[in-house]
Amino acid sequence: MSNYSLNIIMKSSKKFSRNKQEKINLIYDTFFKLILKQGYHKTSTNHVAKSAKISIGTIYKYFPKGKIDIIRRYFEKSMETFLDSQQLSNMNDENVRDLLNHFVLDLFENHKKNKGYNLALRSAIQSDKILHDVHKEKIFHFFKELVQKLRKSNENFKQISEKKLVDVFIFMYNLVNAILYHHLSIMELFDTDDKFIDYLSDLVAFSLQYYFKT
Amino acid sequence: MSNYSLNIIMKSSKKFSRNKQEKINLIYDTFFKLILKQGYHKTSTNHVAKSAKISIGTIYKYFPKGKIDIIRRYFEKSMETFLDSQQLSNMNDENVRDLLNHFVLDLFENHKKNKGYNLALRSAIQSDKILHDVHKEKIFHFFKELVQKLRKSNENFKQISEKKLVDVFIFMYNLVNAILYHHLSIMELFDTDDKFIDYLSDLVAFSLQYYFKT
Amino acid sequence: MSNYSLNIIMKSSKKFSRNKQEKINLIYDTFFKLILKQGYHKTSTNHVAKSAKISIGTIYKYFPKGKIDIIRRYFEKSMETFLDSQQLSNMNDENVRDLLNHFVLDLFENHKKNKGYNLALRSAIQSDKILHDVHKEKIFHFFKELVQKLRKSNENFKQISEKKLVDVFIFMYNLVNAILYHHLSIMELFDTDDKFIDYLSDLVAFSLQYYFKT
Amino acid sequence: MSNYSLNIIMKSSKKFSRNKQEKINLIYDTFFKLILKQGYHKTSTNHVAKSAKISIGTIYKYFPKGKIDIIRRYFEKSMETFLDSQQLSNMNDENVRDLLNHFVLDLFENHKKNKGYNLALRSAIQSDKILHDVHKEKIFHFFKELVQKLRKSNENFKQISEKKLVDVFIFMYNLVNAILYHHLSIMELFDTDDKFIDYLSDLVAFSLQYYFKT
DNA sequence: AATGAATGAGAATTCATTCAT
DNA sequence: TATGAATGAATTCTCATTCAT
């Protein structure tokens, strides 16, 4: 086989796979953009198809159960890229506060960037018990794995039991998410982002102390 | 047991029964109960009618715009019975903490009792800009009036500007609501109510200090 | 029995019967006014009741079959007051044209005053075969009786057969109604009433000649 | 026999059949046929779907606003095929009368063939101000363009001002339509079509003279 | 007699999902 | 594979009519 034809095959296969991922991203973007504009339940799959200029069949090819699949798979994807355990491993008594800030900032950016998705997730959780459970399960899993990694590489973490650490991470995660969601989608708590992040970091620090006291 | 549930059990032989207020309450109860079970979007007006054993026409008689009207009017009603300004007027340096506890408890009870409504409110706000604005407006109004009353009858409140006081009340209201909603509808933050309320009260106290520092 | 108590009885009974007729007229007026504003099928009996500030029960008391009854009975009533046979009886070769004018004017005034009713009648006729037939029948009857009266009192009319006379009256009636309805409800044919009436009178005269030629 | 009726008879075993234009025609035919039978208001979109043996979704795919869209688009379509300006261009003093006959006949055939549509149009115009205005506007436009073409190609038409010519065409169009509608849908004016067409042609000729006198 | 709450069939419309091309 | 026409159950909402008060 000549180099040339090989090239074509590789190119086309590459191009195809990129097309596939691009289409999936296009669906994500369009779906969450529309939700932001008109709310979750007014955003239909047909709507998404028209707005993204792809066919409804394509959406169902990649997401056979429709909207719920889009949300589920985006959730999985977003958990994969969340938090860099490398940084956390370097935690010591001096930089705890920096790491909390980092944690808060990470969630804050995520919420701002994915406002539509966060709306969708909450809406979908209400009407889909399975998603609700999967969601909890995944979060639990994620933090369990994270904690296990951290306890391997950092002495500070070893002094706290695995269970307790997982609990505290999940607690912080929920706390910050709760407030971020309310701030972005229901009613603003602060008028500038900086003030808000500052407050959240302090709040998390306070809650951490509270949590370990009890 | 309320009168209308009794009515259902006794199943009067009359084709038409007339008890306006009871029917309205029955609609509220049924609607929010169903939302709890299956989520806001999957709870249709026909569903409510069938489950409440009244006709769909009756629902539209009392709530001409359907679901959105049920939520709007329940919201208005619930704001009317929220917080007793009498108690707040007696605030002094010694009982501030008691009052915060009271505030938190009030909201906590409300959320537990009206979980379905709280789900509905958040869902509806996403897809109904008008409700979103009305909701904000009402909260602002409510706390403005409350603050004006408090500043008339209590010296402690006079030392803080009206605007600042309104802001701080709305802030506390939002903060507690955000966490309560997440705890009850997305993922639990504490395993017992007592711990949770304790935490919330401390959190509010902390946030208050933070708020006045800045 | 004293004069006084008699007075009360008579008064009240009179008042009652006047109330009844007033209510019926109120229903007519409100119904046709609403039709004018929003079209026939968007005008519901409930609507009429609310707008007229009477109860829906009252409407069904006087008009047991609802809208269709209102139209039917108004149609009957309007035929009773249409055309004064006295005037027609005085017809002779000189004043034929005046009588045609009178005929046209009568219908014209009726249409302008009862535009809502005329819309309703046409709408109702489409979906109610019975009304359609009743309507035709009544018109036939009305003109038959008119013609019989006229042939008794006026020599000119005797020279034409009863059937032919009835036909010609119905023809004129239909012709003028068709054009009036279109002019008022679909698209104007003339920009002033005077021009329009003039045209109609000439048209009727022309059609009459045409009719008798064939 | 048209293709789609054939299709129905043959009852293909396929669940989905695809023939866009035929489906649109089938919707037109079924809708207007049902209106003829039971009147405009009683003919629902669901009715049409069932009667045409297509799904309700298909109707809303082609006519997103339902009934009103069917009427609007049929009206547009029917104006496109109305009157052949070629023939009118050849008008001279000798064949005016022929052309009037042609005009009348064209409208007559249209009304007979599209009786259901004509009922629907008149009903819809009453409750839809937009359709009412669009309808007027389209007619005005149509005759304006026609007149401009005629004045370019025929000397006889140049002697009359454009405005006057447009007015006279619209006047004739309305006059004939008014009478045709009444004859077909309310009450017959003549017992045979021939007599009726004869009368209408004479009437138009008379009205034309009348119109130019004033 | 008068009222108007209550009924429920049915109309308009949406939307997740399937399947022929 | 990709497309999008087609489906039809489900939803919102209206309205003629009945009946308890």
Side-chain angles (χ1 to χ4, degrees), chain B residues 85-132:
Chain B
S85 65
Q86 222 50 46
Q87 270 202 49
L88 286 173
S89 306
N90 300 326
M91 190 189 89
N92 55 47
D93 286 354
E94 262 107 67
N95 64 6
V96 174
R97 192 53 202 261
D98 285 355
L99 289 171
L100 292 184
N101 288 354
H102 174 65
F103 183 84
V104 164
L105 210 64
D106 235 49
L107 283 170
F108 184 80
E109 300 294 354
N110 175 284
H111 265 267
K112 277 215 117 170
K113 224 181 68 194
N114 297 302
K115 201 178 149 186
Y117 157 68
N118 277 294
L119 283 182
L121 182 63
R122 270 151 193 82
S123 280
I125 275 178
Q126 310 305 343
S127 46
D128 184 353
K129 297 248 183 280
I130 293 171
L131 179 60
H132 202 153

Side-chain angles (χ1 to χ4, degrees), chain A residues 24 28 31-32 35 40 62-80 117 120-122 124-125 127-136 138, chain B residues 42:
Chain A
I24 289 178
Y28 285 143
F31 184 42
F32 299 136
I35 283 170
Y40 175 68
Y62 294 124
F63 304 98
K65 305 227 163 185
K67 282 162 75 171
I68 213 78
D69 263 7
I70 304 180
I71 296 168
R72 274 186 213 189
R73 290 190 38 200
Y74 193 83
F75 172 68
E76 281 166 28
K77 190 189 114 169
S78 78
M79 285 310 276
E80 278 164 21
Y117 158 69
L121 182 63
R122 273 152 190 81
I125 276 178
S127 45
D128 184 352
K129 297 254 187 270
I130 295 171
L131 178 61
H132 201 155
D133 292 343
V134 166
H135 172 247
K136 278 192 205 169
K138 286 260 159 153
Chain B
K42 287 192 184 159

Side-chain angles (χ1 to χ4, degrees), chain C residues 42-53:
Chain C
K42 282 188 191 158
T43 302
S44 68
T45 48
N46 293 282
H47 230 89
V48 174
K50 191 165 273 178
S51 175
K53 281 169 196 170

Side-chain angles (χ1 to χ4, degrees), chain C residues 12 22 26-27 36 73 106 140 158 168 176 198-199 210:
Chain C
S12 79
E22 273 171 9
L26 179 61
I27 292 168
L36 214 53
R73 290 188 39 200
D106 234 48
F140 182 74
K158 277 188 197 146
V168 84
V176 176
D198 244 44
Y199 168 74
Y210 183 94

